[in-house]
Amino acid sequence: MSQRRMKPVRAPQRKPGSRVHSELAAGIGRRILDGTYPPGSLLPNEAEWGQIFGASRTAVREAIKTLNGKGLLVSRPKIGSRVEPRERWNLLDRDVMAWHRAALDERTFLLSLQEIRRILEPGAAVLAAERASPEQLAVLEEALADMQSAAVESEAMVAADVRFHLALLAAANNEFLVPFGIVIEQALASMFAYTTSHAVHPEQLLPLHAEVVKAVAARSPEAARRAVTALLDDTDETLRATAE
Amino acid sequence: MSQRRMKPVRAPQRKPGSRVHSELAAGIGRRILDGTYPPGSLLPNEAEWGQIFGASRTAVREAIKTLNGKGLLVSRPKIGSRVEPRERWNLLDRDVMAWHRAALDERTFLLSLQEIRRILEPGAAVLAAERASPEQLAVLEEALADMQSAAVESEAMVAADVRFHLALLAAANNEFLVPFGIVIEQALASMFAYTTSHAVHPEQLLPLHAEVVKAVAARSPEAARRAVTALLDDTDETLRATAE
DNA sequence: CCGATAGTTTTGTATGATAAATGCCGCGAA
DNA sequence: TTCGCGGCATTTATCATACAAAACTATCGG
């Protein structure tokens, strides 16, 4: 379709989460994840947070409610807000994951994520081979095509790679697998930073991905498992190459 | 240590989440999970919720912020609160899981959870066998002992069973496995309801659990994997027996 | 020594007012 | 007619303030 004139520059386009209470949530969340307030400890009370961030108690409370929703905190009258034990934290939450990543050594973080991928993705591939719908298979193939047409080591490549693996998870048709998508997103983003900064990159990326699609399309669970395992082996190999 | 006299009965002991804003969050959350407000749809505005539940706008807003934190909603001025696509939902969140369970056919729900267990637990067992600390092993053994001393088909048995599997997850020493614990809790709770109501129960429960502990203690990853797989096979066998 | 009770601190809820974001409509010009 | 621009209306976002409820602490009386 013909592209008309550029629309006049819209308002500063502040991103969706940059309201006061969101920044408060991020500010407090980061301090929890980085250990400033360890599990079991008490946070400053609402009035104090308000002073620290120059915000009203209302905004502070809404931020804290958000963190409640992520399992980081519980609040009680007269006590205050106490940091929950780590096993209650929703580590797979998008925000929590981001705060966590910022507070951790990048390589350690990445290795942990890869370990999870090695456990989950082969199993997901088996299910996908057994029950992917034609539409889900099409999405997978499309992501593969995008990878093949993207420049190596580009943002577009990473984006297509992420789409590929999310599509594989979705094709397994078990909704409880979906939340783990964030692990893949973070791992690939982190991996991208790593490979570019260390000037190494997985050589076999495209053929290995193609192999996965082939196995799923052929409805061969075991072949799909092997293909995904090979893919992860290659990635880990690359990672290992950056160990100094 | 010597147990002193029972403390006088404390105040009604309303449970932590029964404040107005929590009930609002649950009320709205359930309506989202059960499909009353499907992904992409707009919720009533804050004032309307306030009337529906007879609460102030403040309480409504805090409830909505909690749901924001769980990835169910995003709110924008002039638009309102829109239900996020399912892949953004934190399905592994405790509350979301509970609302979800209430909105779904119990058997379907349970089968999905078991499927996840079959993917994750064997992998977790391998890691546990490789790197469980003495303390973590002790917790595992203690849970097993509790199971052995509990009456069959009792609440205590389920509780000890949950502790056992959570301990196994923890022993894998990868914190991203921990959020998955909720799947185990729900699966076992759901399973308990099932086995009692259908008058069937896994016969091999205790020896199979003991086998897992043995393998982990012996630091035999492959044996641990096999033991956990056998355990899950037995559970699934029981479940299959209830298919009418 | 125990137990009830009053006091104090902190979160929980309500109310009302104002700011900011943004979809929508209508007016006017090319 | 069509397009752009400005104002209007609606809804969330934020603030300020007041009071209620919860729960720990200390105190006082038996």
Side-chain angles (χ1 to χ4, degrees):
Chain A
M1 59 204 77
S2 84
Q3 187 92 4
R4 298 200 52 88
R5 187 158 359 133
M6 208 63 143
K7 277 204 157 177
V9 188
R10 283 179 127 350
Q13 205 45 310
R14 130 191 280 180
K15 56 179 154 187
S18 72
R19 304 282 152 62
V20 175
H21 71 257
S22 303
E23 297 194 351
L24 273 159
I28 300 175
R30 264 191 287 269
R31 283 166 222 228
I32 294 172
L33 267 291
D34 74 10
T36 304
Y37 301 104
S41 65
L42 275 171
L43 265 56
N45 67 33
E46 296 170 348
E48 292 179 74
W49 281 121
Q51 292 187 330
I52 293 174
F53 285 91
S56 72
R57 216 190 122 202
T58 307
V60 172
R61 281 185 61 77
E62 293 187 354
I64 287 180
K65 289 290 160 291
T66 301
L67 299 178
N68 281 344
K70 296 180 188 302
L72 298 181
L73 293 177
V74 287
S75 308
R76 309 190 61 176
K78 164 67 186 178
I79 310 293
S81 288
R82 192 177 294 279
V83 179
E84 285 273 83
R86 288 182 79 92
E87 58 266 26
R88 297 285 186 81
W89 298 0
N90 281 340
L91 279 187
L92 298 184
D93 175 87
R94 200 173 220 81
D95 298 324
V96 175
M97 184 71 86
W99 303 331
H100 193 187
R101 178 178 172 187
L104 223 67
D105 166 54
E106 180 91 17
R107 188 182 173 84
T108 309
F109 182 75
L110 182 49
L111 287 175
S112 294
L113 293 182
Q114 280 298 119
E115 210 166 75
I116 300 293
R117 294 187 64 193
R118 294 196 75 99
I119 293 177
L120 271 172
E121 292 200 68
V126 168
L127 295 182
E130 288 170 352
R131 35 166 125 124
S133 71
E135 294 77 24
Q136 291 170 332
L137 186 58
V139 174
L140 199 63
E141 285 168 341
E142 196 179 326
L144 177 63
D146 289 349
M147 286 183 71
Q148 287 166 336
S149 64
V152 288
E153 298 287 309
S154 65
E155 302 272 356
M157 175 65 86
V158 180
D161 203 351
V162 168
R163 273 203 303 284
F164 182 93
H165 289 277
L166 294 186
L168 188 64
L169 272 192
N173 282 300
N174 183 318
E175 58 187 348
F176 296 106
L177 281 175
V178 174
F180 286 98
I182 191 69
V183 168
I184 292 174
E185 284 180 38
Q186 288 286 334
L188 290 181
S190 192
M191 191 74 193
F192 179 61
Y194 239 78
T195 52
T196 51
S197 71
H198 289 74
V200 293
H201 49 91
E203 292 290 346
Q204 300 299 320
L205 206 61
L206 293 178
L208 286 171
H209 278 76
E211 202 61 33
V212 174
V213 174
K214 200 171 130 196
V216 172
R219 309 248 164 237
S220 314
E222 266 316 306
R225 159 172 288 161
R226 279 197 306 276
V228 167
T229 303
L231 186 48
L232 291 167
D233 284 344
D234 187 61
T235 308
D236 281 3
E237 184 64 33
T238 307
L239 241 184
R240 222 175 347 263
T242 70
E244 47 258 72
Chain B
M1 60 204 76
S2 85
Q3 188 91 2
R4 299 195 55 86
R5 184 156 3 129
M6 209 62 143
K7 277 203 158 177
V9 187
R10 286 181 124 350
Q13 208 39 313
R14 131 189 278 178
K15 55 179 153 185
S18 71
R19 304 283 152 61
V20 175
H21 70 257
S22 304
E23 298 194 352
L24 273 159
I28 301 174
R30 264 190 288 268
R31 284 166 219 227
I32 294 172
L33 268 290
D34 74 11
T36 303
Y37 301 104
S41 64
L42 274 171
L43 264 56
N45 68 32
E46 296 171 348
E48 292 179 74
W49 281 122
Q51 292 188 331
I52 293 173
F53 285 91
S56 72
R57 221 191 117 203
T58 307
V60 173
R61 281 185 60 77
E62 293 188 353
I64 288 180
K65 288 290 162 291
T66 302
L67 299 179
N68 281 344
K70 297 180 187 303
L72 298 181
L73 293 178
V74 288
S75 308
R76 309 190 61 174
K78 164 68 185 178
I79 311 293
S81 288
R82 190 178 294 279
V83 180
E84 286 272 82
R86 288 182 80 92
E87 59 265 26
R88 298 285 187 80
W89 298 359
N90 281 341
L91 279 187
L92 299 183
D93 175 87
R94 199 172 221 82
D95 298 324
V96 175
M97 183 72 84
W99 302 332
H100 193 186
R101 178 178 171 187
L104 224 67
D105 166 54
E106 181 91 17
R107 188 181 172 85
T108 309
F109 182 76
L110 183 49
L111 287 175
S112 294
L113 294 182
Q114 280 298 118
E115 208 165 76
I116 301 291
R117 293 187 65 193
R118 295 197 74 98
I119 293 177
L120 273 166
E121 290 199 71
V126 169
L127 294 181
E130 287 169 353
R131 34 166 125 122
S133 71
E135 294 77 24
Q136 291 170 331
L137 186 57
V139 174
L140 199 62
E141 285 168 341
E142 196 178 325
L144 176 63
D146 289 349
M147 286 183 71
Q148 287 165 337
S149 63
V152 288
E153 297 287 311
S154 66
E155 301 272 357
M157 175 65 85
V158 179
D161 202 351
V162 169
R163 272 204 304 284
F164 182 94
H165 289 276
L166 294 185
L168 188 65
L169 272 191
N173 282 299
N174 183 319
E175 57 186 350
F176 295 106
L177 281 175
V178 174
F180 162 72
I182 191 69
V183 168
I184 293 175
E185 285 180 38
Q186 288 287 334
L188 290 181
S190 191
M191 190 74 193
F192 179 62
Y194 238 79
T195 52
T196 51
S197 71
H198 289 73
V200 293
H201 49 91
E203 291 291 345
Q204 299 299 320
L205 206 62
L206 292 177
L208 285 171
H209 278 76
E211 202 62 33
V212 174
V213 173
K214 201 170 128 194
V216 171
R219 309 246 164 242
S220 313
E222 266 317 307
R225 159 171 289 161
R226 278 195 307 275
V228 167
T229 302
L231 186 49
L232 291 167
D233 284 344
D234 187 60
T235 308
D236 281 3
E237 183 64 34
T238 307
L239 241 184
R240 225 178 341 266
T242 71
E244 46 257 74

